[in-house]
Amino acid sequence: MEIGIVGKPNVGKSTFFKALTLKDAEIANFPFTTIKPNIGVGYVRVRCVDTEFGVKCKPKNSFCIDGNRFIPVKMIDVAGLVPGAHEGKGLGNQFLDDLRRADVLIHVVDISGKTNEIGEATENYNPERDIKFLEDEIDYWFFDVIKRNWSKISAKIRHGGKDLVKELTNQLAGLSINETHIKSAIKDTQLDEKCNDEDIKKFSVSLRKVSKPILIAANKIDIDDKGNYERLKDRYDMIPVCSEAELALRQATISNIISYIPGNSGFKILKNINEKQRNALNFIRERILNVYNSTGAQECLNVAVFSILKRIVVYPVENENKLTDKNGNVLPDAYILPNGSTALDLAYKIHTEIGDRFIGAIDCKTKKKIGREYLLKNGDIIKIIVGR
Ligand SMILES: Nc1nc2c(ncn2[C@@H]2O[C@H](COP(=O)(O)OP(=O)(O)OP(=O)(O)O)[C@@H](O)[C@H]2O)c(=O)[nH]1
Ligand SMILES: [Mg+2]
């Protein structure tokens, strides 16, 4: 699973990415600082199941702080997009190809309205315009990809007796688009092999909505002095964010200046600091955390993965009584799986060989034996039984 970060230049995409991944990304107050995509690992946060069992976990593929399990997700930060990118404006829309494998997009917007459409400083810009133009540019990207392949696809259907859904699924698999997405968009737009450009455009819009849903990160909430967030929040899937604050809190945590768990509504100062540092931390506490309950950055990842993509977290173990792997690590791994995944899907996710040799599984909470078709639930702890 991958999360793509998109938006126009200078809105704080790289700051948001860096805060969540702590990977070096270049940040600067001018447009097009990022050209090559930054790829990194962020973490979603869930209540660890170890708390339910009164055991202490020993994570391997994730980490746990005070009963909060942080599970890795891949993130990609790309260059800024400007209106007309599909016609070559700005850096064009070629780099959207870096987002092929994204399952969900987080659109970082400067909610304060202090960045114009091409990424320069301004006042009183309406950030709602960005929401529309960004959707348009992604639609054009989809349209271009489908259009490029269209004559091949329609020829195969007309002369080769091939099936439209299958052909589109094959052609678009590289865009992280599956058969369910395609069926839904065909049903929605009545696409058939005789369609024209206008029909393909409509199909692209519908396909984008199901295959690359967009969450809006209303960034720079700290300087939103025009009340844009309050005006727009009920109309969109939108989370108030201060990426700069999240980055500062994470860096202060690494330097042992504060203790802070990403996503929390507060932090503790651990040592004597100078007045400048104290003022910066007080600002974050009073103007961000006390008002919005968090910096919003962690929440964006959680909402994207669990509310929008409806993923679940499952813990595979090898010993159903001790909840350990074969080396005695308690609840070592936490996997993020699509809702509707089965016990067999989990086995294949662990290893192809485990999937091939699957003969059954145990639900470690009830100790009941379950079969390959068992539908996994969020928080399940599962032992897979393999044959020889
Ligand atoms: N006030 C405020 N400024 C922010 C926030 N997040 C980022 N910035 C500033 O916005 C400017 C642009 O940040 P970047 O992260 O480089 O933006 P970008 O969207 O990656 O820009 P490009 O790579 O040029 O497309 C920098 O000066 C950041 O310090 C925030 O939450 N609040
Ligand atoms: Mg950038």
Side-chain angles (χ1 to χ4, degrees):
M1 188 186 45
E2 289 186 15
I3 298 177
I5 298 169
V6 291
K8 71 183 180 188
N10 222 0
V11 291
K13 297 180 297 301
S14 296
T15 310
F16 179 80
F17 170 87
K18 188 171 176 177
L20 288 165
T21 60
L22 287 180
K23 243 195 101 157
D24 250 331
E26 214 180 325
I27 295 172
N29 190 16
F30 49 79
F32 301 119
T33 304
T34 306
I35 296 177
K36 280 214 204 119
N38 295 302
I39 298 173
V41 175
Y43 295 83
V44 289
R45 170 181 169 166
V46 297
R47 196 82 198 131
C48 184
V49 276
D50 74 349
T51 53
E52 280 175 48
F53 289 85
V55 290
K56 183 90 198 72
C57 67
K58 192 146 186 274
K60 268 169 33 191
N61 83 334
S62 38
F63 64 91
C64 203
I65 316 173
D66 289 352
N68 299 291
R69 183 68 75 109
F70 286 86
I71 311 165
V73 289
K74 193 167 166 191
M75 294 178 65
I76 308 169
D77 162 41
V78 298
L81 203 63
V82 302
H86 66 285
E87 296 161 336
K89 298 251 171 69
L91 297 179
N93 71 354
Q94 293 307 310
F95 62 85
L96 284 178
D97 280 337
D98 297 323
L99 297 174
R100 276 186 312 263
R101 298 166 60 91
D103 301 288
V104 58
L105 303 177
I106 295 180
H107 177 189
V108 180
V109 168
D110 174 357
I111 199 70
S112 74
K114 298 191 201 313
T115 313
N116 74 10
E117 60 270 29
I118 53 171
E120 299 158 342
T122 186
E123 288 292 329
N124 296 319
Y125 177 87
N126 180 3
E128 194 173 11
R129 288 170 56 192
D130 293 349
I131 299 174
K132 181 78 186 77
F133 106 74
L134 191 109
E135 287 174 355
D136 288 347
E137 291 301 328
I138 307 259
D139 293 341
Y140 277 115
W141 172 44
F142 269 39
F143 174 81
D144 286 344
V145 174
I146 298 167
K147 181 77 183 150
R148 225 179 292 146
N149 292 302
W150 189 253
S151 51
K152 229 188 315 172
I153 295 176
S154 73
K156 276 189 183 171
I157 293 161
R158 273 186 287 198
H159 310 301
K162 299 271 195 217
D163 174 61
L164 180 62
V165 174
K166 283 230 167 63
E167 286 309 311
L168 280 169
T169 307
N170 284 341
Q171 292 289 345
L172 299 174
L175 278 178
S176 231
I177 293 173
N178 62 33
E179 198 174 308
T180 314
H181 298 143
I182 290 184
K183 280 185 177 157
S184 151
I186 288 182
K187 189 161 169 238
D188 184 34
T189 61
Q190 309 288 321
L191 186 86
D192 62 28
E193 71 282 2
K194 296 185 287 293
C195 64
N196 57 29
D197 280 7
E198 205 41 47
D199 300 324
I200 297 180
K201 188 75 212 292
K202 280 195 195 128
F203 176 73
S204 306
V205 174
S206 180
L207 193 60
R208 182 260 300 162
K209 286 184 186 162
V210 287
S211 67
K212 306 249 186 263
I214 300 174
L215 172 68
I216 293 159
N219 195 37
K220 307 199 188 185
I221 193 77
D222 53 308
I223 51 170
D224 177 25
D225 46 19
K226 296 287 184 310
N228 286 321
Y229 172 68
E230 281 303 318
R231 179 167 62 83
L232 299 172
K233 68 175 186 196
D234 294 330
R235 276 189 263 158
Y236 301 95
D237 262 341
M238 184 182 273
I239 293 171
V241 178
C242 183
S243 300
E244 229 169 43
E246 182 68 17
L247 183 57
L249 292 177
R250 294 214 186 186
Q251 286 172 332
T253 307
I254 290 176
S255 310
N256 286 318
I257 292 170
I258 60 168
S259 82
Y260 167 69
I261 303 177
N264 268 10
S265 58
F267 57 86
K268 240 203 238 108
I269 297 178
L270 298 176
K271 59 179 170 196
N272 276 333
I273 47 178
N274 63 38
E275 195 183 327
K276 194 168 156 234
Q277 287 173 315
R278 187 169 296 276
N279 287 343
L281 288 170
N282 277 341
F283 179 89
I284 293 173
R285 194 191 313 266
E286 280 157 28
R287 299 282 296 279
I288 307 293
L289 301 179
N290 290 353
V291 181
Y292 302 100
N293 225 5
S294 78
T295 68
Q298 180 66 53
E299 197 186 341
C300 284
L301 287 195
N302 272 50
V303 168
V305 171
F306 298 118
S307 307
I308 296 182
L309 293 178
K310 303 202 166 38
R311 299 290 154 120
I312 57 171
V313 174
V314 178
Y315 301 77
V317 295
E318 286 176 62
N319 183 315
E320 68 271 32
N321 298 311
K322 295 183 176 158
L323 309 181
T324 57
D325 63 10
K326 60 177 185 298
N327 299 319
N329 299 308
V330 177
L331 298 164
D333 297 326
Y335 285 173
I336 301 171
L337 295 171
N339 196 11
S341 297
T342 62
L344 185 64
D345 292 331
L346 173 66
Y348 273 110
K349 169 102 182 176
I350 298 169
H351 201 283
T352 319
E353 203 184 317
I354 307 273
D356 288 343
R357 290 165 55 204
F358 180 99
I359 55 171
I362 294 171
D363 173 349
C364 302
K365 287 185 179 172
T366 61
K367 302 281 190 283
K368 284 210 177 95
K369 183 118 194 272
I370 52 179
R372 59 176 56 215
E373 301 296 333
Y374 172 85
L375 282 183
L376 298 164
K377 298 188 300 297
N378 188 41
D380 270 352
I381 305 172
I382 303 288
K383 174 194 163 86
I384 305 283
I385 307 166
V386 293
R388 300 208 161 266

